[in-house]
Amino acid sequence: MPGTPASRAGGPRSRKGAQTRSRLINAAKIVFERDGFLESRIADITETADIALGTFYHYFESKEQLFREVAAAQEERLTAPPEHGSTHGGPRDTAWERIRRANRRYLGRYRDEAAIMGVIEGVSRYDGPVNAARMATMKHFVERAERGIRQLQAQGAVDRRLDPPLAADALGAMVARFAELWLVQGYRDYDFDEAVEQLTILWANALGMKEEPPPYPGNDGPA
């Protein structure tokens, strides 16, 4: 169909088209980080991508559609598995170590992309698709936490009175909101390692976990 953006027709059908589309997404991230969503212009994005203005509409209908793709890509980065070569933990890891590692990975990834996360957080307040992407990320983390809480309850390691979905939602929201206040809004300045440790203690205390055992010989804790 003439005039239909490639993105609506299943994406670019050639390698060059895919590369052009990727350049627009990468350029858009730079411009959105710099100018925010409302002040960003399509002309600025195409100029940054070194692509003709008219080419934009072959791939995207609007700035809003492009931003939603930038936001979705960022949410995927937050929920991606640990990078190759990073510490995945081992069978002797304690629940404390698993919680600490999860907090460290989330906060680290959020910190590394704090500029675009700030824009995403703002747009998610009024844009349905962007908010849905944010909620999907939240759901990813809380469902994993819920499974962990159920396992620990079965082992008698945490308070059995806790409702796993509610506890996972509340603790996940605590970490997510803390990340935004700290890393985007600059509410306070914290040492990264100390922030990870304090959130881990809060998680453990909220779940009624016992005091953290000493590390196994040769195990200096999670990376």
Side-chain angles (χ1 to χ4, degrees), residues 4-25 58-60 69:
T4 299
S7 56
R8 293 177 58 195
R13 298 181 181 180
S14 69
R15 178 178 299 179
K16 183 178 179 181
Q19 291 173 342
T20 300
R21 196 170 192 277
S22 178
R23 284 167 61 189
L24 283 167
I25 292 173
H58 182 65
Y59 297 95
F60 300 99
E69 294 219 16

Side-chain angles (χ1 to χ4, degrees), residues 53-72:
L53 178 60
T55 302
F56 176 91
Y57 295 99
H58 182 65
Y59 297 95
F60 300 99
E61 289 183 319
S62 63
K63 181 177 75 170
E64 288 76 11
Q65 183 195 11
L66 176 54
F67 183 81
R68 289 164 187 165
E69 294 219 16
V70 171

Side-chain angles (χ1 to χ4, degrees), residues 113-167:
E113 300 288 354
I116 193 63
M117 285 306 305
V119 185
I120 292 170
E121 297 282 12
V123 175
S124 71
R125 307 292 197 263
Y126 58 83
D127 186 278
V130 174
N131 183 63
R134 278 267 71 206
M135 291 303 98
T137 295
M138 182 73 174
K139 185 176 181 181
H140 168 89
F141 288 115
V142 299
E143 286 182 346
R144 188 172 64 187
E146 180 184 339
R147 291 193 296 270
I149 291 170
R150 291 187 188 279
Q151 291 172 357
L152 291 170
Q153 284 179 323
Q155 297 166 9
V158 305
D159 193 337
R160 288 194 174 94
R161 297 172 300 172
L162 289 173
D163 176 67
L166 193 153

Side-chain angles (χ1 to χ4, degrees), residues 80-106:
E83 294 80 2
H84 179 69
S86 64
T87 302
H88 292 255
R92 297 197 301 179
D93 276 356
T94 66
W96 278 79
E97 289 166 344
R98 292 194 295 272
I99 293 169
R100 183 180 290 111
R101 184 176 292 107
N103 286 333
R104 178 177 297 278
R105 184 163 58 244
Y106 180 83

Side-chain angles (χ1 to χ4, degrees), residues 23 29 31 35 40-41 71 73-74 117 119 148 157 163 181 203 209-210 220 223:
R23 284 167 61 189
K29 180 174 181 287
V31 175
D35 299 337
S40 294
R41 302 182 307 162
Q74 175 55 27
M117 285 306 305
V119 185
D163 176 67
L181 284 171
W203 260 80
M209 292 167 56
K210 296 179 181 179
D220 295 327

